[in-house]
Amino acid sequence: MTFDYARRNALKKQSLEILADNRRSSGAYHYTLPSAEHYPYQWLWDSCFHAIIYAQSDPQMARAEIVSLLSKQFENGMVPHIIYWTPGILHLFRWGVEGTSSLTQPPMIAYAVWEIHRRHPDIKFLEAIYPSLLSYYSFLVAKRDTRGHHLVSIINPDESGEDNSPRFDEPLAASADISYEEHLALRTALIDKNRECGFEAEQCMRDFFWVKDVPFHAILIENLRKLGHIASLLKHADGEHFANLQAALVERAMRKHMFEEGVFWSLSGWEYKKLKVATWAHFAPLFAGLYSDEEAGALVRDHLENTSTFKAPFGIRTVSKQEPSYRSKGYERGFSWRGPIWMAPHWFIYQGLIRYGFRREARELRDKSMELLVRSGFREHFNPETGEGGGAHNFTWGALILDMLEDGHEI
Ligand code: GLC
């Protein structure tokens, strides 16, 4: 099939327009809203996606997005997942402490910083933010790993970025059919628990929600490696050693505790119980190269290409069609991470496929992503069976298509 340049150019134009429309400033800080109407704040992994996209054409804005994200870092190193820059507007997600949330999100910051530097080298920028990066990743591997087993806990489903994924139904005691309101109430109750403990999460949350999530770990490992590259460039030998050692230790722990039946499973509680819900989390470790070539081949053949589980007419379902919790319609808001396609998982899977050399599969995923954006616009998520868009409009994640297109039509 010949590559559709006109389509690519139109999507590029639209992506950059949405990012520009959603851009905001607060004093010296500049950031981008995931969706002006639905999400009027700055979000952690969203900002990393924005920075990765800006890195192509606007490195200054890419750096600004990271600088504002790090500007509200906690003393203990945590980077909050939401910054409420304009507290006056819509008090949705008011889960926080003084202008921010009390949670974090998948730690994509070092990866985004490395992408910016790779395209537009700037050692001064790296020097300036390195202490914040080191302190964030040190926080994760120290404070969220109370047993020293190199598995890092999330304290709320929202820290996974997949708020209502059925991976968390069991630890939340949620049913497959739980409504949006009921689900939100369970998650806000967790925030209240943490608040009661004075936000000393590691002392407190392990009794309520203490999950080791597969995508979070895969993302952590790849980001620790990028942190290692950054430290090496800056000649911070200790930081380089720390980052590379932690990446290796977390990788080994994932293999030991999470791997079974050819895939990785998230874990819950003290006994590291596997949460056996089939979701796109099976594919996230491709992003960090955590499967052997042989395992990756079997994963792609048996799961990614399997139309009765993950492979849908319009892309990859976030939850297997065989799961009782599978719902194709994300616009029934409560079900958004219970099946619908999201562009970030597509992007992670795409990167993973490229890493392993699955070029045909990568191309197909990229082309389906383009098709969705052309057909339904830059929506928050998409019905895998019909391609229909759901959730927020003018949602920035669609712009990740620019990063998928960057490797070009050649793939
Ligand atoms: C939704 C998503 C989350 C994202 C946020 C802002 O809550 O589940 O991953 O960060 O919106 O876009």
Side-chain angles (χ1 to χ4, degrees), residues 34 39 43 45-46 105 161 163 337 342 380 395 397:
Y39 299 113
W43 259 264
W45 74 337
D46 302 70
Q105 242 185 356
D163 325 341
W337 284 101
W342 290 68
E380 187 175 358
F395 192 64
W397 292 15

Side-chain angles (χ1 to χ4, degrees), residues 101-341:
S101 82
S102 53
L103 304 173
T104 193
Q105 242 185 356
M108 277 295 286
I109 310 177
Y111 184 100
V113 168
W114 183 253
E115 275 302 284
I116 303 170
H117 185 78
R118 189 173 69 80
R119 293 159 195 265
H120 304 276
D122 183 346
I123 289 282
K124 280 213 173 74
F125 173 66
L126 293 186
E127 286 281 9
I129 60 160
Y130 175 73
S132 299
L133 292 183
L134 185 62
S135 131
Y136 178 44
Y137 291 95
S138 302
F139 158 81
L140 288 173
V141 300
K143 295 282 187 192
R144 292 298 184 83
D145 175 27
T146 45
R147 294 163 85 182
H149 287 181
H150 311 295
L151 291 169
V152 172
S153 296
I154 57 170
I155 61 170
N156 194 301
D158 291 74
E159 290 202 324
S160 74
E162 297 174 60
D163 325 341
N164 49 34
S165 166
R167 285 204 300 285
F168 312 117
D169 282 359
E170 192 182 318
L172 284 177
S175 70
D177 266 325
I178 189 164
S179 71
Y180 174 77
E181 288 72 22
E182 285 167 333
H183 202 278
L184 191 60
L186 292 175
R187 283 148 51 212
T188 35
L190 290 175
I191 305 284
D192 291 338
K193 293 282 182 214
N194 198 10
R195 186 178 288 115
E196 283 162 24
C197 302
F199 295 107
E200 291 290 336
E202 57 280 3
Q203 305 306 328
C204 161
M205 294 311 291
R206 54 192 181 193
D207 295 331
F208 305 108
F209 189 94
W210 198 240
V211 168
K212 327 282 185 251
D213 198 34
V214 169
F216 196 99
H217 278 75
I219 288 169
L220 176 65
I221 290 170
E222 192 59 9
N223 275 263
L224 282 166
R225 293 179 187 141
K226 301 299 187 209
L227 179 65
H229 295 334
I230 294 167
S232 161
L233 266 185
L234 298 177
K235 304 197 180 0
H236 288 296
D238 288 354
E240 183 184 356
H241 176 73
F242 160 82
N244 292 332
L245 177 65
Q246 292 301 324
L249 290 171
V250 177
E251 180 173 357
R252 202 161 69 194
M254 277 187 83
R255 173 66 57 171
K256 179 169 172 202
H257 295 283
M258 295 178 165
F259 192 72
E260 198 176 302
E261 299 159 16
V263 292
F264 290 86
W265 303 95
S266 298
L267 311 170
S268 179
W270 281 93
E271 63 287 9
Y272 297 152
K273 182 160 189 271
K274 292 192 182 73
L275 298 169
K276 292 224 169 163
V277 184
T279 70
W280 83 278
H282 290 349
F283 310 120
L286 294 171
F287 173 70
L290 305 182
Y291 289 109
S292 69
D293 286 348
E294 204 184 358
E295 288 163 357
L299 179 78
V300 168
R301 188 188 61 228
D302 299 344
H303 298 287
L304 193 83
E305 297 276 276
N306 186 338
T307 50
S308 61
T309 56
F310 287 103
K311 186 173 184 167
F314 287 88
I316 303 300
R317 301 179 182 101
T318 44
V319 174
S320 161
K321 205 176 171 183
Q322 301 299 321
E323 288 291 342
S325 53
Y326 175 73
R327 301 286 180 278
S328 57
K329 294 179 185 167
Y331 52 79
E332 292 161 18
R333 280 182 76 201
F335 299 138
S336 49
W337 284 101
R338 297 171 93 82
I341 290 169

Side-chain angles (χ1 to χ4, degrees), residues 67-87:
V67 168
S68 50
L69 180 62
L70 292 173
S71 70
K72 303 284 181 190
Q73 185 165 29
F74 290 12
E75 248 172 49
N76 68 2
M78 195 183 89
V79 178
H81 92 300
I82 308 176
I83 302 179
Y84 306 104
W85 286 107
T86 42

